[in-house]
């Protein structure tokens, strides 16, 4: 690869003669699910506006016009968004973004001010997990979490993260699958020969 170019697995494949690859990219699906389940008005507004969500988030966190957001600021906003989705803490953000834990915590705190309903949803979900030892996803999937009652704090926190992740990742996965099935059905109706290639 040329220096500085990020490898892309799709570039390792070539379509057969007289065939085309059609790729789909559901960018930010997890964050779209998070916006829906939390009902956070600011996040919903950012997605509905059609703007780049990470730049939009950065503009709110750093209190700057979106056009003046740097690549580093966008990257920080993206990192903290997915950190929240996957149940990470300030130490994880600090290590990932190579910043101090103090700055990482300030960014997370500001994220909570920007998207307050996200944190309210997280707190409500954690209480449900501890009380019921399971979670139910947007489309009815169930994940049992008996380890939430473990006396081992690490095991307990891992179960908590599993529950949070499931509520975001399972619906995102379901939406992608349903979309793929709809696309295949449309191709059949139009008489287009197609084959699914998963990467």
């Amino acid at each position: 690869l040329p220096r500085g170019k990020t490898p892309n697995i799709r570039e390792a494949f070539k379509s057969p003669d007289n065939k085309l690859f059609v790729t789909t990219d559901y960018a930010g699906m997890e964050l779209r699910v998070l916006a829906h389940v939390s009902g956070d008005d600011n996040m919903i507004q950012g997605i509905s506006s059609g703007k780049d969500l990470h730049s939009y988030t950065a503009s709110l966190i750093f209190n700057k016009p979106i056009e003046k957001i740097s690549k580093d600021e966008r990257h920080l906003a993206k990192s903290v968004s997915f950190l929240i989705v996957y149940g990470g803490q300030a130490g994880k953000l600090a290590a990932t973004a190579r910043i101090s834990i103090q700055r990482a915590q300030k960014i997370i705190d500001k994220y909570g001010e920007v998207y307050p309903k996200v944190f309210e949803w997280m707190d409500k979900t954690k209480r449900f997990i501890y009380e019921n030892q399971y979670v139910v996803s947007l489309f009815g999937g169930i994940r049992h979490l008996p380890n939430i009652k473990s006396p081992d704090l690490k095991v307990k926190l891992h179960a908590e993260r599993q529950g949070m992740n499931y509520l975001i990742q399972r619906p995102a996965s379901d939406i992608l699958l349903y979309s793929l099935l709809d696309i295949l059905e449309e191709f059949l109706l139009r008489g287009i020969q197609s084959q699914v290639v998963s990467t």
Side-chain angles (χ1 to χ4, degrees):
L1 289 173
R3 187 174 182 179
K5 181 175 175 60
T6 303
N8 186 335
I9 188 64
R10 293 173 182 168
E11 296 177 3
F13 296 86
K14 182 180 183 297
S15 62
D17 293 339
N18 301 318
K19 301 288 184 181
L20 294 173
F21 271 131
V22 177
T23 62
T24 56
D25 184 2
Y26 293 82
M29 180 59 73
E30 290 91 347
L31 296 181
R32 291 169 182 268
V33 171
L34 178 61
H36 178 79
V37 297
S38 69
D40 190 273
D41 299 326
N42 277 344
M43 187 173 285
I44 292 171
Q45 172 60 32
I47 292 170
S48 301
S49 70
K51 298 174 183 176
D52 175 74
L53 183 59
H54 301 310
S55 296
Y56 173 84
T57 299
S59 72
L60 296 178
I61 290 175
F62 299 110
N63 195 28
K64 294 172 61 175
I66 194 169
E67 62 272 11
K68 293 187 178 181
I69 293 299
S70 67
K71 288 184 178 180
D72 286 343
E73 289 169 334
R74 181 187 181 278
H75 178 71
L76 275 172
K78 180 178 180 179
S79 295
V80 73
S81 289
F82 284 104
L83 177 91
I84 297 302
V85 170
Y86 297 125
Q89 302 296 328
K92 181 68 174 178
L93 178 61
T96 302
R98 297 181 180 179
I99 59 177
S100 69
I101 292 181
Q102 290 78 11
R103 188 182 181 204
Q105 188 59 58
K106 286 183 179 180
I107 292 173
I108 292 173
D109 291 343
K110 185 63 178 179
Y111 191 95
E113 294 175 13
V114 168
Y115 298 134
K117 288 186 180 179
V118 169
F119 280 72
E120 290 174 12
W121 172 81
M122 290 171 61
D123 291 339
K124 180 180 177 181
T125 300
K126 289 175 184 178
R127 289 196 299 271
F128 184 92
I129 292 172
Y130 279 97
E131 291 172 4
N132 299 279
Q133 302 177 52
Y134 71 90
V135 289
V136 182
S137 75
L138 191 60
F139 300 116
I142 298 175
R143 176 69 184 267
H144 293 280
L145 302 160
N147 286 344
I148 200 67
K149 296 296 185 179
S150 172
D152 187 322
L153 181 60
K154 287 185 178 180
V155 173
K156 184 180 295 188
L157 291 177
H158 181 65
E160 181 184 291
R161 289 193 298 272
Q162 284 180 318
M164 302 290 289
N165 292 352
Y166 185 81
L167 292 177
I168 301 299
Q169 294 176 334
R170 176 62 187 269
S173 177
D174 288 343
I175 290 169
L176 297 182
L177 178 59
Y178 296 151
S179 299
L180 180 59
L181 292 174
D182 285 346
I183 291 170
L184 289 175
E185 182 178 357
E186 183 66 23
F187 280 179
L188 286 173
L189 289 173
R190 298 188 181 202
I192 300 173
Q193 293 184 347
S194 61
Q195 181 178 354
V196 176
V197 179
S198 178
T199 58

